[in-house]
Amino acid sequence: MDTRLSQLLRTVVDEYVSTGEPVGSQSLVEKRRLAVSPATIRHWFAALEAGGYLVQPHTSGGRLPTEKGFRFYVKTFVTAKPPNKHERDAIARILKTTGDRRIKQIAKTLSDLTGLAAVVGWKKTDTYYTGLSLLFAQPEFRDWQRVVSLTEVLDRLDDALSHLRQNVFPSPEILLGRECPFGSACGVVIGSTGHAMIGILGPMRMDYQRALSLMMEVTKTTFLAS
């Protein structure tokens, strides 16, 4: 992809993750102080649409990243970075807990830090999830049918985690859209250590950069080891 288009796609995804709203050319130029005109941005938007990376839900509205757009963004721009001090301190406090309580506290801490849901599977059959109210509060899930669909998946949480346990994640991995076992409207950053697996679950429009960095910090400590 042309560098200008890839950087524009990155900007659109960042803006959409931040606001949850379609991204318009005029507002993007003004807010991001881009050194090009809105007409130029619209021309580049059209090229990204033709490539399947953006979609325009309404004729006169802004653009949204597609699943293909998110995949390109994750592959090209998302890398694990050290969490900030507040996040490191929050994760370090988990060391004060032990056993099953520690595993649940990991999920609670990740949910609190990201404002998303967290799911955990450990031993052979034990599962735990927290932060579903935060997940359902996201703009994407104002659509009742999506909420119902996701609820049905969560009702089969054991099966979903059992399927994931068949894979080994030596380092945290991002699964989104059709690859996400929790529903095609979602994304998950998942990691495993020892006999346990944990995932940060959100809408496809989630901050993958931050979630990946937090998951790297958690899994490198082997908190999840049995």
Side-chain angles (χ1 to χ4, degrees):
M1 183 189 295
D2 180 276
T3 301
R4 291 174 300 178
L5 294 182
S6 67
Q7 288 300 322
L8 178 59
L9 178 59
R10 181 182 191 176
T11 303
V12 170
V13 173
D14 286 340
E15 186 68 13
Y16 179 52
V17 167
S18 174
T19 67
E21 300 292 337
V23 181
S25 57
Q26 183 72 43
S27 62
L28 194 65
V29 168
E30 294 174 355
K31 189 172 183 179
R32 299 280 177 162
R33 298 182 180 180
L34 303 181
V36 295
S37 69
T40 298
I41 294 297
R42 287 193 294 273
H43 177 70
W44 292 347
F45 276 175
L48 288 169
E49 282 186 77
Y53 299 97
L54 294 180
V55 64
Q56 187 176 25
H58 306 289
T59 304
S60 59
R63 270 66 170 185
L64 299 176
T66 62
E67 181 176 329
K68 183 178 180 180
F70 272 110
R71 288 188 189 284
F72 180 89
Y73 175 89
V74 166
K75 181 178 180 181
T76 308
F77 300 114
V78 174
T79 57
K81 298 177 181 179
N84 61 39
K85 185 178 185 303
H86 167 70
E87 293 166 340
R88 292 196 306 272
D89 289 348
I91 292 171
R93 283 194 290 271
I94 302 170
L95 282 171
K96 298 177 181 179
T97 60
T98 59
D100 289 357
R101 186 183 172 203
R102 173 180 290 182
I103 292 173
K104 292 180 179 180
Q105 190 59 41
I106 292 168
K108 182 69 167 58
T109 298
L110 288 175
S111 178
D112 289 344
L113 289 173
T114 60
L116 301 172
V119 296
V120 182
W122 74 102
K123 298 177 182 175
K124 290 187 176 181
T125 59
D126 292 335
T127 61
Y128 175 75
Y129 54 86
T130 186
L132 294 186
S133 61
L134 297 173
L135 179 62
F136 289 156
Q138 298 294 326
E140 290 84 346
F141 299 110
R142 291 173 187 158
D143 180 343
W144 178 246
Q145 289 304 315
R146 285 189 173 182
V147 174
V148 171
S149 176
L150 183 58
T151 302
E152 290 173 350
V153 173
L154 291 173
D155 284 343
R156 301 191 298 273
L157 188 63
D158 288 344
D159 291 339
L161 288 172
S162 177
H163 173 73
L164 287 171
R165 283 191 184 103
Q166 296 174 21
N167 302 286
V168 176
F169 300 97
S171 59
E173 210 168 298
I174 295 170
L175 304 174
L176 62 89
R178 287 167 293 178
E179 290 182 352
C180 181
F182 301 99
S184 61
C186 299
V188 64
V189 179
I190 196 155
S192 57
T193 305
H195 300 291
M197 183 171 293
I198 187 166
I200 300 172
L201 174 63
M204 197 183 305
R205 179 198 58 84
M206 63 182 283
D207 189 341
Y208 293 103
Q209 178 68 72
R210 188 179 186 203
L212 181 64
S213 296
L214 290 171
M215 188 63 71
M216 290 289 289
E217 184 73 11
V218 165
T219 55
K220 81 176 184 181
T221 62
T222 69
F223 285 156
L224 302 184
S226 59

